[in-house]
Amino acid sequence: MEAKVLRVGFLGFGTVGRGAYKLLTRSPETLTRRCGAVLVPVRALVRDLSKDRGADVPPGFLTTDPAAVLEDPEIDIVIEAMGGVTAALKYSLGALRAGKNVVSANKDLIAEHGQELFAAAESSGADLLFEASVGGGIPIIRPLKQCLVGNHIDEVMGIVNGTTNYILTKMNAGNGGFGAALAEAQRMGYAEADPSSDVDGLDAARKVAILASVAFTSRVTFDHVYREGIAKVTAEDVKYARELGGTIKLLAIAREVDGAVEVRVHPAIIPQTHPLAGVGGVFNAIFVKGDAVGDLMFYGRGAGELPTASAVVGDVVEVARRLVSGNGSGNSGLSCTCYDEKPIRRMNDVHTQFYVRMVVADRPGVLASIASIFGAQRVSIASVIQKRKLENDAELVVVTHPVREGDAQEAIRQLRLLEAVTEVASVIRVEGFATA
Ligand code: NAP
Ligand code: HSE
């Protein structure tokens, strides 16, 4: 029997779009054997026709007219790899409403407008798949939706931003402070000239919103995510974390606790023995706890042309298999799986340990007044270390037991007002240490 021909359009033909084109065209017969369809790239929307796209791109393939992709009735699958939100939303909705299946790599779009997009997909019977939007080439969305569907997922905790992981890895290797490590990340081409999306945790917040929605089958959007970046992490903190048996990572954490979802991105000290502690450089990893399967970790390249294209083409093939099988309902079980409406836990009600580094007056009674402030806020102290003697001051590092965030923050606010406390220099959450 002759294989069905499925035509693929692209919205965007930059790093990811071009990568997906390479994978679709390098051995088309192999993909046909794998999905039962001939996948034919036909058109790609770009802004600038004069850019060099490579000799393998046929004449007339590129267009600046969105309608050439969105209104071509022959196009079955659209790869959205343009980035940004406004135009990507408009075009993706246009494609879905026209019954075209959409494969997106765009975490900004999915994290902010997932609900609207999935509703459009559902009403036209199309699929919207988005494996590449989190963790680049790492399979995580489909494992959560398919392979792990028999579990109750308790926790998803990940390193989902390569740029910040590179910076923290450099700092951990003793290569100076945040500024020097960021400058090196920029020299290496990992961090952008304006690094704020990565460094301030926005990129990771979008990804964890998507992960939480999938893991807990309840819609979590970017605005639900508590977020802190890594710009305040110092070389001293990295050194002290090491002395405490830990390492500092920018973690994206999503948990379901008592029926509510907590979702946050911030630097955290994790034990050097934790599987995420060994994830270095620009690599990403996502650690999952399921009630049946136990602990799992998904590790790999979170960005880059071919790793990201690998996830995109995986989604394209998944859609193709559905179309070939004649299951035209659009309900592959991979699109929207937000069946529940779970509340989002307020950050103040989250429980975690804290590391607090302070510069304090070096005289009798100071430690007692600090301990009294923590005690009054029900913050139990796990350890106190006087780290360094400064000119007239001392540096104290306090690590708390797991405490309510709101209580810890109130204690820290009061410490800042204490005459004997010259500076609360760093506040970093501590995750994954065994507590008595
Ligand atoms: P990119 O290299 O900047 O490519 C974007 C493409 O979209 C370009 O071809 C650009 O056209 C086109 N484009 C952008 N806005 C357009 C508009 N308004 N009208 C028409 N064409 C437009 O971006 P990318 O790195 O491939 O990233 C694409 C998406 O994948 C983003 O959502 C990103 O977050 C996501 N992603 C990227 C990576 C990665 O490693 N790069 C990893 C995971 C996810 P011109 O070429 O003419 O400028
Ligand atoms: N800027 C991201 C990172 C890659 O540094 O991991 C794209 O999601």
Side-chain angles (χ1 to χ4, degrees):
M1 200 173 78
E2 216 165 283
K4 193 176 176 90
V5 175
L6 296 174
R7 292 178 181 80
V8 181
F10 293 72
L11 297 170
F13 205 66
T15 306
V16 176
R18 181 85 183 86
Y21 178 86
K22 281 186 193 168
L23 294 192
L24 288 171
T25 53
R26 71 176 177 180
S27 177
E29 314 75 33
T30 307
L31 286 178
T32 300
R33 276 199 302 278
R34 290 177 183 178
C35 69
V38 182
L39 299 171
V40 187
V42 289
R43 221 65 206 281
L45 175 72
V46 294
R47 282 175 298 208
D48 180 357
L49 289 175
S50 70
K51 276 189 195 170
D52 180 17
R53 313 281 171 170
D56 56 331
V57 177
F61 182 76
L62 299 170
T63 176
T64 54
D65 177 10
V69 176
L70 302 176
E71 290 172 22
D72 179 345
E74 302 267 275
I75 292 180
D76 308 280
I77 303 172
V78 171
I79 295 174
E80 189 276 294
M82 53 191 286
V85 170
T86 311
L89 176 63
K90 184 173 158 204
Y91 299 160
S92 299
L93 282 174
L96 290 167
R97 285 176 185 147
K100 298 184 191 309
N101 301 281
V102 173
V103 168
S104 179
N106 188 338
K107 69 242 152 198
D108 307 40
L109 186 66
I110 303 293
E112 289 173 36
H113 297 282
Q115 191 159 17
E116 196 179 348
L117 289 160
F118 288 118
E122 197 171 327
S123 47
S124 71
D127 266 331
L128 168 61
L129 304 194
F130 51 97
E131 184 64 66
S133 65
V134 180
I138 304 174
I140 182 65
I141 303 299
R142 200 163 316 146
L144 284 170
K145 287 190 179 228
Q146 289 184 331
C147 318
L148 300 172
V149 75
N151 286 257
H152 178 275
I153 303 293
D154 300 313
E155 172 183 290
V156 177
M157 182 155 94
I159 294 171
V160 292
N161 183 267
T163 305
T164 46
N165 201 46
Y166 180 85
I167 291 170
L168 291 172
T169 304
K170 285 286 153 194
M171 289 173 72
N172 198 39
N175 294 1
F178 170 75
L182 169 62
E184 191 182 334
Q186 285 171 322
R187 259 197 315 281
M188 296 292 293
Y190 299 135
E192 298 189 14
D194 173 5
S196 53
S197 166
D198 294 320
V199 162
D200 296 342
L202 299 155
D203 176 76
R206 293 185 174 108
K207 291 169 179 166
V208 77
I210 297 171
L211 284 174
S213 302
V214 173
F216 307 124
T217 59
S218 182
R219 172 84 43 224
V220 176
T221 63
F222 173 64
D223 344 315
H224 291 136
V225 183
Y226 173 84
R227 175 178 57 80
E228 276 176 32
I230 62 163
K232 289 187 190 154
V233 175
T234 68
E236 284 78 36
D237 297 321
V238 168
K239 185 161 69 72
Y240 295 151
R242 201 163 37 235
E243 284 178 29
L244 291 163
T247 187
I248 302 180
K249 293 291 185 187
L250 181 71
L251 290 190
I253 302 173
R255 288 198 180 110
E256 186 176 334
V257 182
D258 301 331
V261 175
E262 67 178 59
V263 58
R264 48 198 167 104
V265 167
H266 52 69
I269 300 174
I270 54 171
Q272 282 157 11
T273 49
H274 193 285
L276 288 172
V279 176
V282 291
F283 276 82
N284 284 197
I286 297 135
F287 181 78
V288 177
K289 266 185 201 293
D291 67 343
V293 73
D295 294 353
L296 290 172
M297 193 161 93
F298 299 81
Y299 169 85
R301 293 179 197 281
E305 183 193 43
L306 293 183
T308 311
S310 158
V312 168
V313 171
D315 278 351
V316 169
V317 165
E318 194 60 35
V319 173
R321 285 181 176 144
R322 177 176 72 77
L323 296 176
V324 167
S325 74
N327 170 8
S329 71
N331 188 2
S332 62
L334 287 170
S335 283
C336 184
T337 45
C338 290
Y339 319 112
D340 301 311
E341 280 187 35
K342 296 178 185 168
I344 304 293
R345 183 174 293 271
R346 290 180 335 138
M347 188 60 190
N348 269 351
D349 293 329
V350 163
H351 281 71
T352 181
Q353 286 185 267
F354 281 82
Y355 152 108
V356 184
R357 181 164 64 86
M358 288 170 273
V359 178
V360 302
D362 194 9
R363 60 169 194 254
V366 169
L367 192 53
S369 57
I370 289 172
S372 139
I373 286 183
F374 277 121
Q377 297 306 320
R378 299 166 295 280
V379 175
S380 170
I381 293 172
S383 65
V384 181
I385 319 168
Q386 181 161 328
K387 294 305 305 180
R388 283 192 294 168
K389 175 90 182 84
L390 306 169
E391 205 167 315
N392 296 312
D393 291 329
E395 192 169 53
L396 276 189
V397 170
V398 172
V399 178
T400 74
H401 283 296
V403 294
R404 191 179 154 272
E405 169 89 18
D407 294 340
Q409 293 297 352
E410 177 56 22
I412 291 160
R413 188 190 70 77
Q414 291 186 23
L415 286 172
R416 290 201 157 103
L417 303 176
L418 206 63
E419 177 274 325
V421 174
T422 312
E423 186 191 8
V424 176
S426 295
V427 176
I428 300 177
R429 293 172 190 82
V430 177
E431 289 285 336
F433 282 81
T435 51

